[in-house]
Structure formats: structure tokens, C-alpha cells
Amino acid sequence: MALLSVDELSVTFAGQGGGRGAGSGARRDTKAVDGVSFEVEEGQVVGLVGESGCGKSVTALALMGLLPRKGVSVGGRAEFDGADLLSMGEKKIRDLRGSQLAMIFQDPLSSLNPVVPIGIQVTEILTRHRGLKGEPARKEAASLLDRVGIPDPDRRLKEYPHQLSGGMRQRALIAMAVACAPRLLIADEPTTALDVTIQAQILELLKELVDQQGTALLMITHDLGVVAGLCDQVNVLYAGRAVETAGRRELFAHPTHPYAHGLLGSIPRLDAPRGDPLRPIRGSINDKIAWADGCAFAPRCDFYTMECLTGTPELTEPRARGHQVRCVNPVLPAETSAGTAEVSS
Amino acid sequence: MSLLELDGVKVHFPVKKGIFFDRTVGHVYAVDGVSLKVEAGQTYGLVGESGCGKTTLGRAVLRLVDITEGGVLFDGTDLAKLPEEEMRQIRHRLQMVFQDPLGSLNPRQNIESILSEGMAAHGIGADQEERRERIKKILAEVGLPTNALSRYPHEFSGGQRQRIGIARALVLEPDVIICDEPVSALDVSIQAQVINLLEELQESKGLTYLVIAHDLAVVRHISDVIGVMYLGSLVEEAPSDALYAEPRHPYTKALMSAVPVPDPDVEDRRERILLHGDLPSPAAPPAGCRFHTRCPWKQETRCATERPELTVVGDGHRVACHFAAEIEAGTVERTRSTGIAAVTETEPETV
């Protein structure tokens, strides 16, 4: 059985003046996640990819139980090792968080307490979950910093977050996340705030942790390049729903949903010859179309037909087993070239 | 002759201390001797990581920051020595597009007011009626509806705001547009739209671009010539294709190997050159070659003591490295291994 299996997860933020659930205010509610399903196996790296507003970060927060209780309704199921994370009590999920489940965030500076030395922030976790105190806890913290590649860890433990560089702060956060050897690590845009050479260091570090400890990693990112190098399985999200799910080789070789197809066509590639035109997706994300009324991507889609607006498209496997696509007009081999011509004209 | 020519441009910011006397206790060497040429109708891409001085250099061209030393020759005029009023008059020929499209548009002005303000200041268009006609034409060119005129910045999406920023530059009929991170705040699907727009405009209007960005893939896509900056100076300059095919400077090699490519086959095959540690502070740059503290090919001699000059190594290809030829020939070994263990052991002190 999968370590984490998420089934039709949905997150709705109540609009101002509107109450929870159905009723007078329901119209103004915002559906940030609208039925996301995926699985993460032990030791696997799974990617959640999409642009801003696709619901990837909210998915992570919902899994970690970090969404505010008021004004947010969470639906669906998310089973971690057989227990449902969404219906779990606050106390139980606090025991899981930090020990079996851990998360690192995009902005390492705002995830660290600015007025508490790094050492105390790291040992706090060791005390809470592993019962280590005093000298043994300090020693363990130093060895953790050392493991994530922070030089001179004894001195760094006494320093405050502002004294560390951006890459170093992210390393410190990773050290805290892996302090209790979690079974699942959720990384939400862990390298977006960093320069590319530092990004390469951090990605290498994450890869090593996964390889050595067999930690499962849920990688949330907008960068398809990062996904190509790291993830085993990829879920492409659009407007709160997964539109395509496939193994990484399959996805990059045969992007089948028009959105994934368009996304890959619009990225300038370092290895592409100069003069290769980009094929952008037209328009911009429109949150007015709900999935219930049809495909949310339809207004921007080049393959759009009237059929697209009759209810939510189902997940199908038009190309290969395990390669799921939510589209009634998927981009299939014969159409790929025709589609390209259509876009560029 | 080149349209825009930078000659040994230096921008040093004083670091002050004390309440009464404002003593200068040191300098931040943001830009420290950059010489480059931008040809008319071409795109020069300036790439580097945060803190390398690329944005300061772009602002120095427009004299938005004071140039400490050096010259900026634009169409035969040295902008660095121009009196303030004459500089103001010439500025409409050199325009800038900023990174943050919302932050660079006044939220209380409507689009017509934002776009006509610069025109009025530079005396373009006889009256508001004429300016409005011109603005309408430009709005159509950047792909915005005419009814945008009476709307405010918050009513537009990120991509549309960046189009407004581009339109604001275009209404003044500039020769050169300096684009500072024009697409880095945008989502990838929108990025491509803006990149394509910039390319179309260049073709139809014969514009010259100086594009400043941290994303090597974007810079490579739109630039004819690329300059790589590290800690205030150029370390390598080459035509776009040559730079990709044969990066000669160790920093460029490392940078290229670190850029993720959306293709699993490429990702699996490539060998990453991991750099050690972080960028040193530009207030106390290392002696000798600025890159020697992180360079995987650092040698015992010269690197730590002698600052390398940009030297020509091929057709339009310049490199600032003492051992570029030896590294290319393979007669100089990498002195540090790569990988996490190596990074951990030898990471230099950074603050």
C-alpha cells in the first residue's frame, strides 16, 4: 500500500460574509483545490507541478494540517500509513508533524524565528519528538547541520537566522525537517528563492537524503526543469485539479494534456538552438470557470470543442497505462504536429 | 560604431558610519570595471546571480545611480559626463522596463495618465488628443484592448501589467530599452507571451535591448550576445550560441551545469559542477580573481593574487581567466572534487 494516498482532496476558502458550506454565502467561496488525487510510495519522489494559483501549496498545507480551522472546509481523504490525516485530531497530527511528516518551505528566512538562535530551533524538535535534552541534543543538532553541509556547525548553532546566507538557511531548515528521519518530506518550492548554483547544491542534498534514508519526497514546484531531474512520478495541476499524471520520462516525452503540452512548449530551453520560437499558452488563468461546469482550461486551449463544457472531464489513459489525462481532446501523436502548426500560425 | 558602449564603468556605494560626521568606512563595489558594446538592433543579455551588480549596471547606464568612474557612450555622447538637464532630455531615447510590473506602476493613475505623463514631459505629441491616439496605437501593438486607457493597474493581470510597462517605454520612441528581469515575476506560460512580444517589437521597430536577467535559459533565448557577470565584473562574453556550445570560464561552466532543463534524458546525463559556498560580499571582494574562492579549477599561482583581464579567445568571445586555455586543453586538473562531501569539507567562510 502507498505511504500516502490522497483521494479527491478539496479545499474551499469561505468568502467574506459567507458562511461555511452551502448557503447564502456559498457563491463567494473560493475553491483552491478541487479534487486532487495522487499517491506517494515509500522512497519515491512525486512532483506536484503547476503555475501560481493551481492549488499546489494549499494541497501541502492541507496534508500537514496547517490550514486554519475557521473559514476553510477540507473534503476528501488523505491516508498516511493507514490513518486519515484530514480527520485526525490536533494532538495526534502534532505528534506526526516533525517526526514522520516534515515540510520545508520556499522562503527560509520567514520560516525561521528571527530572534532565536539556530541551535535552539533545531534542538526544540529533538526535545519534542526524541526526548533529547542538554548536551546530547546539542551534539545531535551539530551533527545534523554537518550532515546537510553547513561548515563549522558548533559556531552556526549559536548564530541567528540573519547571520546565515540564503542557501545556508535552507540547509538549516532541511536539517530540522530530517531531524527525526521522517517517512515523508514535503518540499514546497524549496529552491525558488535561491540562485541557480545554490539551487543545484540543495537539489543534490535532497537527492542524497532520499537515496540514503528512503524518505519519500513530495516535491512542489513550478519549475519543470527541477521536476525532470528529480521526480519519479509527476502530477500536473491546473486550477485546483490534476490534469495529467505520469512517470517523468513518459510525461516529458509525450505531454498529452493540452496544458502540459503548452507548458513545455512555452519554456525557453538552455539547450534549444537560438531562434526556436516559443509557443506560449494564450490568455491567463481564469478562476471564474469551475471544474463542475467543464474543463477549466478550455478558454485557453487550442483544441477546445463544445464537448469540453459539458461537465468535468474524466481521467482517462489515452496513450499508455498509468499515464492519466483529464481531457476530452488529448494531444495524441497524429495531432501533435497539427497542433503545433495551429499554435504558431 | 556601437550604439551603446560602456568603458570601464565603476559604481561604488560608500558605506557610512557615525551620526554627526558621516565617515565613509568602506565601499560596496557593486560594479567594478565593466566594458561592453551593444550593437544597434541587437540584444545584449547580462546574466548573473543576485548581488553580481547586473541591475546596478543597468541603472548606471540611465544614470539612475551615480557612476563613480568610467564612461557610457550612447550614440557618440558620453552620458556619464552629461549635465543633469541634458541627460533628462536624452532619457526618452533610453527607456527601462522593470521587474515588478505592479510596483513600477502608480496605483492611483489610470493607464492613459501613466502613459501620457512621460510624453508630456518630453514634449511628444502636441496635445492630449494626439497623445491619446499614439497611446492607442502602442496599446494595440503590445496586445492590450483600447478600453485599458481608463482603467487602473490593479485591474490587470501580471502579464498585462508587464505589457503596460513595455508600452510606457515604447510611447517615448526609444532607441534602447533596458529590460531588468522583464519576465522573472511571471508564470511560465505568461513569460513566453512577453518574451515573444519583446522579440516582435524588436523586429518591427528596430529596437536595441539590454536584457538583465538571472535566468540563463531566458537570456540565451533572446540575446545575440551574452555577458556573464560575477561580483561586479564581466567574467565572460560571447555570442549566444558560442557561449552555450563552449563556455570557457569556470563560473559560466558551473552556471550552465546548474540550470535545470525540462528533459529527463538531459538531466540524467549531465555532470553538475557544484560550486562551493556562496557569493562573497561585494563590500570585501576577494583579491586576485574574484571567483577563486569558489572555483573548482583554482590553481596555486596567480588566481589568488592577480586579477585576470578579459582577453579575446575567439570570434567575439572574451574570457577573464588565467587558465582558460589550459582548462580547455585539459592540462589543468580540477583541484576540488564535486559532491556533497566535498562541499561540506571545504566550504569557505561566508557571512
Side-chain angles (χ1 to χ4, degrees):
Chain A
M1 206 190 77
L3 177 64
L4 173 74
S5 82
V6 178
D7 187 28
E8 284 293 309
L9 176 76
S10 69
V11 179
T12 310
F13 293 99
Q16 270 180 353
R20 272 226 261 172
S24 54
R27 231 182 356 187
R28 274 177 276 177
D29 289 356
T30 305
K31 238 183 174 157
V33 180
D34 191 5
V36 165
S37 310
F38 62 91
E39 289 190 340
V40 185
E41 307 276 350
E42 211 106 29
Q44 202 184 25
V45 183
V46 173
L48 291 186
V49 200
E51 299 180 286
S52 22
C54 73
K56 54 194 192 302
S57 292
V58 175
T59 302
L61 293 176
L63 294 178
M64 292 291 286
L66 290 174
L67 287 172
R69 303 246 147 175
K70 249 190 171 168
V72 180
S73 57
V74 179
R77 279 182 78 75
E79 281 189 7
F80 176 74
D81 202 15
D84 188 10
L85 290 172
L86 303 180
S87 59
M88 200 176 273
E90 183 65 20
K91 177 147 187 345
K92 260 182 111 180
I93 201 159
R94 278 180 74 164
D95 284 339
L96 272 184
R97 223 164 27 208
S99 61
Q100 296 205 39
L101 272 173
M103 183 161 175
I104 47 178
F105 298 87
Q106 170 171 357
D107 181 2
L109 189 55
S110 56
S111 317
L112 290 164
N113 188 334
V115 294
V116 174
I118 299 290
I120 294 180
Q121 303 194 43
V122 180
T123 49
E124 194 180 8
I125 297 157
L126 298 170
T127 311
R128 169 73 172 77
H129 292 290
R130 285 168 60 181
L132 290 175
K133 279 187 186 126
E135 190 54 21
R138 202 200 56 77
K139 274 216 173 102
E140 178 65 21
S143 89
L144 278 168
L145 291 196
D146 189 53
R147 232 181 73 209
V148 296
I150 295 182
D152 197 1
D154 286 304
R155 186 168 60 87
R156 293 293 181 193
L157 282 176
K158 297 193 196 88
E159 291 190 341
Y160 291 87
H162 75 268
Q163 290 169 293
L164 271 61
S165 67
M168 209 83 89
R169 283 181 208 132
Q170 197 58 284
R171 283 171 194 266
L173 272 183
I174 294 174
M176 289 160 67
V178 300
C180 302
R183 296 172 67 191
L184 175 68
L185 179 62
I186 301 178
D188 186 3
E189 303 266 14
T191 58
T192 308
L194 308 174
D195 277 320
V196 276
T197 58
I198 310 294
Q199 164 170 293
Q201 295 174 359
I202 298 291
L203 291 177
E204 204 64 29
L205 175 64
L206 286 174
K207 253 186 224 171
E208 287 216 355
L209 290 172
V210 171
D211 288 348
Q212 286 171 4
Q213 299 194 330
T215 310
L217 178 64
L218 180 61
M219 183 80 184
I220 296 169
T221 180
H222 71 279
D223 191 333
L224 282 162
V226 169
V227 170
L230 194 66
C231 299
D232 302 312
Q233 189 77 15
V234 189
N235 300 283
V236 182
L237 265 57
Y238 188 82
R241 245 178 203 278
V243 294
E244 184 158 2
T245 301
R248 105 186 136 128
R249 285 181 179 283
E250 173 70 16
L251 180 78
F252 284 93
H254 310 291
T256 304
H257 193 282
Y259 176 62
H261 187 253
L263 215 48
L264 280 167
S266 55
I267 303 175
R269 278 176 61 155
L270 188 61
D271 59 346
R274 180 158 150 66
D276 255 20
L278 298 180
R279 291 176 277 108
I281 303 171
R282 62 192 154 88
S284 56
I285 191 157
N286 181 343
D287 50 15
K288 294 201 175 59
I289 290 202
W291 277 101
D293 306 332
C295 176
F297 184 63
R300 302 178 69 188
C301 187
D302 288 309
F303 305 93
Y304 148 79
T305 56
M306 282 321 286
E307 231 182 309
C308 297
L309 291 180
T310 50
T312 315
E314 291 298 314
L315 276 176
T316 53
E317 298 188 351
R319 198 188 278 265
R321 255 185 77 81
H323 183 168
Q324 298 182 315
V325 183
R326 188 182 296 282
C327 182
V328 289
N329 298 310
V331 188
L332 291 170
E335 288 172 36
T336 310
S337 51
T340 311
E342 196 181 313
V343 179
S344 56
S345 63
Chain B
M1 203 185 69
S2 312
L3 183 62
L4 185 65
E5 202 171 325
L6 274 60
D7 180 28
V9 173
K10 291 187 182 179
V11 180
H12 296 171
F13 296 112
V15 180
K16 304 227 176 183
K17 219 172 189 176
I19 301 166
F20 295 115
F21 298 109
D22 254 9
R23 279 179 305 130
T24 301
V25 293
H27 285 93
V28 172
Y29 302 92
V31 178
D32 205 17
V34 172
S35 304
L36 56 86
K37 290 176 182 168
V38 186
E39 304 296 333
Q42 290 210 329
T43 302
Y44 191 102
L46 210 51
V47 69
E49 295 181 286
S50 37
C52 75
K54 55 190 192 300
T55 295
T56 306
L57 184 65
R59 298 177 72 98
V61 172
L62 284 174
R63 290 257 308 269
L64 299 176
V65 292
D66 287 330
I67 298 169
T68 312
E69 211 184 297
V72 178
L73 266 156
F74 170 65
D75 210 5
T77 320
D78 188 355
L79 301 181
K81 296 191 178 59
L82 223 52
E84 199 63 36
E85 178 55 27
E86 281 174 52
M87 182 64 214
R88 199 188 68 75
Q89 284 171 12
I90 214 168
R91 242 185 219 127
H92 77 94
R93 297 183 59 192
L94 292 142
Q95 281 296 303
M96 193 150 180
V97 173
F98 297 92
Q99 168 171 5
D100 176 7
L102 188 57
S104 54
L105 299 172
N106 187 340
R108 289 162 190 264
Q109 271 180 296
N110 66 23
I111 305 308
E112 179 178 352
S113 158
I114 289 175
L115 295 183
S116 59
E117 199 174 28
M119 296 171 81
H122 286 287
I124 296 171
D127 51 21
Q128 190 61 23
E129 202 51 48
E130 205 178 311
R131 284 184 209 123
R132 191 177 298 134
E133 281 314 305
R134 177 155 176 75
I135 290 172
K136 277 184 186 162
K137 201 172 137 262
I138 298 283
L139 282 182
E141 281 175 0
V142 300
L144 285 172
T146 320
N147 68 15
L149 275 179
S150 56
R151 287 155 71 191
Y152 289 83
H154 74 268
E155 298 175 62
F156 296 91
S157 68
Q160 287 177 318
R161 281 180 205 139
Q162 197 56 292
R163 287 173 196 266
I164 296 169
I166 295 169
R168 176 172 58 183
L170 286 179
V171 289
L172 300 181
E173 298 166 334
D175 298 311
V176 177
I177 298 185
I178 298 172
C179 305
D180 188 3
E181 299 277 9
V183 296
S184 61
L186 308 174
D187 269 322
V188 274
S189 65
I190 312 296
Q191 260 187 19
Q193 296 173 358
V194 173
I195 291 173
N196 280 0
L197 174 67
L198 284 171
E199 286 183 328
E200 284 161 26
L201 290 170
Q202 178 166 47
E203 206 151 292
S204 63
K205 294 183 180 291
L207 292 166
T208 306
Y209 289 142
L210 177 62
V211 176
I212 299 163
H214 70 280
D215 188 334
L216 199 51
V218 168
V219 170
R220 163 153 159 80
H221 182 84
I222 54 177
S223 307
D224 297 292
V225 179
I226 298 177
V228 182
M229 273 184 90
Y230 185 80
L231 220 55
S233 48
L234 276 181
V235 295
E236 184 161 5
E237 181 189 70
S240 181
D241 287 330
L243 189 78
Y244 175 73
E246 283 188 273
R248 304 289 291 271
H249 195 281
Y251 178 64
T252 318
K253 286 174 192 274
L255 203 58
M256 290 234 174
S257 83
V259 177
V261 174
D263 184 339
D265 295 327
V266 177
E267 284 293 312
D268 289 354
R269 263 189 285 117
R270 78 151 98 213
E271 184 205 1
R272 278 199 206 287
I273 304 169
L274 284 184
L275 288 181
H276 309 254
D278 302 299
L279 197 74
S281 162
C289 173
R290 305 249 144 132
F291 186 56
H292 84 264
T293 54
R294 298 172 77 194
C295 182
W297 280 274
K298 186 200 164 217
Q299 299 299 307
E300 292 299 320
T301 54
R302 298 180 79 191
C303 289
T305 51
E306 201 183 317
R307 195 167 165 195
E309 293 286 322
L310 271 180
T311 42
V312 177
V313 293
D315 191 17
H317 200 147
R318 299 191 294 163
V319 180
C321 176
H322 295 305
F323 296 96
E326 285 86 344
I327 292 170
E328 197 60 31
T331 54
V332 167
E333 287 290 307
R334 265 202 237 179
T335 47
R336 288 165 175 162
S337 58
T338 57
I340 290 297
V343 175
T344 313
E345 281 159 25
T346 57
E347 197 157 12
E349 184 132 327
T350 48
V351 178

